[in-house]
Amino acid sequence: MIHTIAFYIFAAMVIASGALVITARNPVHSVLWLILAFFNAAGLMVLVGAEFIAMLLVIVYVGAVAVLFLFVVMMLEIDFAEMRAGFVKYFPLGVLLALILVSEMILGIGAYSAGSMHLGTADGVGTPLMGESNIRSIGALLYGRYLFLFESAGLVLLVAMVGAIVLTHRERGTVRGHQNINKQVRRRPGDATVNTRPEVGKGIEL
Amino acid sequence: MTAFFESLGMNYEWAWFVATICGILLIALPLMLAVAMIIYVDRKIWAAMALRRGPNVVGPFGLLQSFADGLKVFLQETIIPSAANKGLFLIAPIITFTVALMAWAVMPFAEGAVLADINVGLLYILAISSLGVYGVVISGWASNSKYPFFSALRAAAQMISYEVSIGFILICVILWAGTNNLSDIVMAQKGAGLGIVNGFFFNILLFPMWVLFLISGMAETARAPFDLTEAESELVAGYQTEYSSMAFALFWLGEYANVLLMCALNTTLFFGGWLPPLDIGILYVVPGFIWWLLKTFFFFFVFSWVKATVPRFRYDQLMRLGWKIFLPMSLLFVVLVSGYLMLTRYG
């Protein structure tokens, strides 16, 4: 019973916060609702026994991606009036995207319940064994059957990262404000200060 | 504990529910007491190192100082700045405090004494500690004031930077222990050093990781010398500037609960958790919880010691340390550890 209650709480929270993401007036609030949606989706993952995916969802999306999102949105000055003005222009495109998503969802669920996919059938026969740890089964699949796909996904991400760095890297003409950390660490009080007791009326030479 | 409540005539689900609630209270209430006392200890250690007396008026040796402070903030008025985003302003300290308590669910205090003995224990801790940044970021933004906002941006960058290297350090530990479950990690440390020392720190490949973890832990909890989020000389009081009364106290408690968690993680991951320091039969007479407490307290002393002696880092130094030194170092050690394990254990 607790399982059912938990499912309905998590599911209702996901849907409600998902709706609030697109209806919230303030973009910062939108991102915060998005984070709540991620968090509750992780809760749903735990309920179906995919605790590893749930933890990764929280670590990667909530812990890293959404923080950067929030970071950017907080620093941007967004003109709401301007954004609303574009609403009519982008409405047909939005409807098109929504239709594509809906049809994909129907196709996916249809294929899943027809049992034509090998992800596991609707009657629960092909699902992962209970008691077998998530991490173990995912690891065995990723580093066994899908090794090359996994490695190439890693390479694609690496290329994307290098690309982003190359695009944003600017060669500075003159080295201004450059700090030599080793030099700073090596510096001792004796190098910078002198302790003297000058005679009255006489200065000191530096 | 579930079995006990079942014997009282409840069905399994309700027994489990009540047992879990009791477990949560059994952890959270002593933890709050521990946080109150540890604040006192922190001030005492700090004072001793500065040749001062520290709190010594309220109660014997000033032991009740934290409770007096708690009573004081409880009786104060919660001031909400008129320009603040009211809802988020009040939610932020609650998030910080709740998240700080949540991570303790998977902490093994003694053999079998753990609320949630889950397979992904270490990942859970990583996930929860990555949530901690939201309290700070939201409070900084919702205050609608300059200094808290700067502090929030600093905190976000700092915590993300150090989480990356903490992640790699944890991977080294996971690889060596061969499990993600915290209790199993503790058991894997039994006799790990030369067959007699209980703890991974004695291992030549994991010792540098422990050093990195200790320092990253200080940076992750924004503890001195990395307390740039509340650097008073630059940012007034950082993200807490606009807070008063209980909202402020929640930040305060959450911060110290996080510091305690980092100390407990040092104990659990590298110093054998509830196991005695040496794998000798007679040392097992002392209950595991006592060993765990002693080790955790020792690490808290180290944290206080560092706070009292090391001056604050500059922000660029902090970022440089995280990205240019800790990240490559921990990545290198992931390769070294996995290479060594492939050679010896799995080869």
Side-chain angles (χ1 to χ4, degrees):
Chain A
M1 191 182 72
I2 290 170
H3 199 273
T4 322
I5 294 173
F7 170 78
Y8 279 111
I9 289 176
F10 282 135
M13 291 283 274
V14 170
I15 292 171
S17 44
L20 281 162
V21 172
I22 48 174
T23 52
R25 279 160 182 266
N26 191 328
V28 172
H29 292 183
S30 281
V31 177
L32 292 173
W33 286 119
L34 185 67
I35 291 161
L36 193 64
F38 281 147
F39 201 70
N40 284 294
L44 285 178
M45 297 280 188
V46 171
L47 285 186
V48 295
E51 72 266 12
F52 181 62
I53 305 283
M55 290 304 137
L56 282 196
L57 189 70
V58 175
I59 293 172
V60 175
Y61 284 95
V62 180
V65 175
V67 173
L68 295 180
F69 241 63
L70 199 61
F71 205 92
V72 172
V73 170
M74 276 181 178
M75 291 210 287
L76 287 178
E77 288 287 335
I78 293 172
D79 189 358
F80 300 107
E82 200 181 314
M83 278 173 70
R84 298 256 160 65
F87 180 73
V88 180
K89 203 169 97 189
Y90 292 115
F91 187 70
L93 191 68
V95 169
L96 187 69
L97 277 177
L99 280 178
I100 291 173
L101 278 179
V102 166
S103 55
E104 274 178 355
M105 241 192 278
I106 291 171
L107 270 177
I109 293 170
Y112 178 72
S113 40
S116 59
M117 291 198 299
H118 292 293
L119 291 172
T121 45
D123 54 350
V125 173
T127 48
L129 293 171
M130 290 304 280
E132 174 85 338
S133 130
N134 261 235
I135 304 173
R136 232 170 253 284
S137 9
I138 290 179
L141 269 184
L142 281 186
Y143 289 97
R145 196 162 149 198
Y146 299 113
L147 178 66
F148 290 107
L149 287 173
F150 183 63
E151 295 283 319
S152 49
L155 273 181
V156 170
L157 285 177
L158 181 69
V159 170
M161 193 177 78
V162 171
I165 292 172
V166 168
L167 281 176
T168 52
H169 185 71
R170 280 174 297 146
E171 207 58 62
R172 289 203 182 86
T174 52
V175 184
R176 236 181 96 245
H178 181 75
Q179 302 193 17
N180 186 343
I181 299 284
N182 284 329
K183 206 173 148 194
Q184 291 179 357
V185 171
R186 272 204 313 274
R187 188 170 147 120
R188 291 284 167 267
D191 305 341
T193 53
V194 276
N195 231 343
T196 57
R197 190 173 291 174
E199 295 281 318
V200 176
K202 285 181 185 160
I204 49 162
E205 297 222 358
L206 286 171
Chain B
M1 212 180 333
T2 310
F4 169 73
F5 283 106
E6 263 185 307
S7 70
L8 294 183
M10 297 181 188
N11 65 3
Y12 177 78
E13 280 183 335
W14 278 109
W16 176 86
F17 187 73
V18 175
T20 309
I21 296 284
C22 289
I24 291 171
L25 289 179
L26 267 178
I27 292 174
L29 295 181
L31 181 66
M32 283 298 90
L33 190 67
V35 165
M37 288 325 288
I38 218 79
I39 291 173
Y40 163 77
V41 169
D42 197 27
R43 293 175 67 177
K44 269 292 194 202
I45 294 173
W46 208 7
M49 292 199 185
L51 296 181
R52 291 182 286 113
R53 279 171 191 272
N56 65 350
V57 174
V58 190
F61 308 108
L63 272 168
L64 300 176
Q65 181 65 47
S66 298
F67 300 101
D69 288 344
L71 195 65
K72 182 191 76 182
V73 292
F74 187 70
L75 294 174
Q76 278 171 341
E77 180 194 356
T78 307
I79 298 166
I80 301 172
S82 53
N85 191 321
K86 197 173 174 187
L88 289 180
F89 185 83
L90 290 176
I91 284 175
I94 299 173
I95 291 178
T96 305
F97 183 71
T98 316
V99 163
L101 288 185
M102 271 165 78
W104 287 87
V106 292
M107 180 59 62
F109 297 97
E111 188 154 17
V114 47
L115 181 66
D117 199 14
I118 54 177
N119 278 332
V120 286
L122 214 43
L123 284 175
Y124 174 82
I125 292 223
L126 208 57
I128 295 299
S129 76
S130 68
L131 288 178
V133 66
Y134 284 110
V136 178
V137 171
I138 293 173
S139 70
W141 184 80
S143 296
N144 204 357
S145 165
K146 279 192 186 63
Y147 292 117
F149 188 59
F150 287 145
S151 165
L153 294 184
R154 279 188 178 187
Q158 176 177 344
M159 289 190 184
I160 290 179
S161 310
Y162 279 87
E163 242 153 50
V164 179
S165 60
I166 283 188
F168 281 123
I169 294 165
L170 294 188
I171 286 177
C172 289
V173 176
I174 293 171
L175 282 174
W176 205 281
T179 170
N180 234 318
N181 181 313
L182 281 169
S183 307
D184 292 346
I185 287 176
V186 171
M187 286 321 283
Q189 295 178 54
K190 198 173 174 187
L194 301 175
I196 185 156
V197 183
N198 288 332
F200 280 149
F201 74 100
F202 209 70
N203 185 319
I204 202 153
L205 278 174
L206 291 177
F207 180 75
M209 288 298 95
W210 167 63
V211 176
L212 291 198
F213 187 72
L214 187 69
I215 301 172
S216 305
M218 286 173 197
E220 173 77 13
T221 51
R223 181 89 178 157
F226 304 108
D227 55 345
L228 285 140
T229 52
E230 40 196 291
E232 64 278 354
S233 51
E234 304 154 20
L235 296 178
V236 192
Y239 58 92
Q240 324 170 329
T241 305
E242 306 290 346
Y243 281 87
S244 56
S245 153
M246 272 320 273
F248 171 74
L250 286 182
F251 274 125
W252 202 20
L253 294 174
E255 206 173 291
Y256 271 91
N258 273 330
V259 171
L260 269 184
L261 180 77
M262 272 298 157
C263 300
L265 275 183
N266 267 300
T267 306
T268 310
L269 299 178
F270 293 96
F271 278 73
W274 71 77
L275 297 170
L278 295 176
D279 196 16
I280 300 171
I282 191 154
L283 288 178
Y284 286 92
V285 175
V286 181
F289 179 68
I290 303 289
W291 286 119
W292 180 88
L293 204 62
L294 283 176
K295 289 172 181 176
T296 306
F297 186 74
F298 169 74
F299 279 110
F300 187 78
F301 175 74
V302 173
F303 270 56
S304 291
W305 186 5
V306 170
K307 180 179 175 176
T309 46
V310 183
R312 186 178 290 136
F313 265 51
R314 234 172 32 216
Y315 196 66
D316 62 309
Q317 290 174 331
L318 175 88
M319 283 295 143
R320 182 180 169 274
L321 188 70
W323 287 107
K324 290 191 180 168
I325 299 177
F326 280 13
L327 181 61
M329 273 269 279
S330 48
L331 196 55
L332 174 73
F333 270 85
V334 170
V335 176
L336 283 181
V337 166
S338 44
Y340 179 79
L341 288 178
M342 276 310 282
L343 194 69
T344 55
R345 202 187 291 173
Y346 302 110

